[in-house]
Amino acid sequence: MTTTIVFSDAPLGHEVRGLRLDDPADAPKLHDALTAHGVVYVRGQSITPADHVALTRRMGEIAVFSTKNYSHPAHPEIFVVSNIVENGRPIGMADAGEDWHSDGCYTETPPWASIMHALEVPQQAGASLGNTCFASMAAAFDALPAALQTRIDGLQAVNSYASRARQAAARMSSGDALGGDSKNIDELLTERSEALKQWPDVVHPLVRRHPFSGRRSLYVSPTHTIRILGLPDDEAADLLDQLMAHVAQPAFIYRHAWQPGDVLLWDNAQTTHKAIFDYKLPQRRLMHRTTIQGSRPV
Ligand code: SIN
């Protein structure tokens, strides 16, 4: 079977056709496509959770990366992202990916890549809601003026899980709950207390080298990156705002309109993403996500 890539108009977010996700011989092709393009997807896959885990293992070392409350009951390697409530309990995390971020940027060794399988996608008037936007941090870095590239390459920044958890909790308790959840800040922080202990603040480069290609990418998140070492707080905040405004330009962004059966892979070492919350129950969204272990960003 010949593998072809159908390119989007963006620097990332291309469809891969003509490969089998269950064929070990095709895993290197997918790995190469992901490294080259940052976000790739395959449509029309009716894979089971076990198939999803097996595919992830063929792509690298699987990382169990979820808060316990939202793991798949039979496959803890799968993180359930969903607004569905069953028997009074959310079956997945309803507010995952609310702001631009790279998965696990607040851990010592963040996952290299994530693989998401769409099971249920909210619809309205024939259009799918709950899209995910991806930005190429490599293309964004390349497009910066050379003087700014030189200024920021080598800077180290503090990334914080606690910062994002507090912001999410504040939004939920203000009644702006995604997925119909309405807990107060203390309840939410208690629910995420294990994760808060597991993930103290970490220091990572503001510009990282890709583990396979060596390509440089910005490594910054508006909700997780809280400081830049060696810079006064106001200067760091201005620089972070400037970089995020640059990243958020349409030229670097691909917006994925999910279809049930999509399997989409993103490379956390060269992209950032955020989910769009333009749906509410009874419009249901159910996604399964696995992650592939990465190395310490350099
Ligand atoms: C995530 O950030 O992993 C969730 C993305 C999404 O649900 O679209």
Side-chain angles (χ1 to χ4, degrees), residues 79 81 96-97 101 103 116 131-132 258 266 273 275 285 287 289:
F79 171 45
V81 176
H101 69 287
D103 292 334
M116 192 167 252
N131 296 177
T132 309
W258 294 94
W266 64 85
H273 61 281
R285 188 174 189 265
M287 318 296 262
R289 192 192 83 182

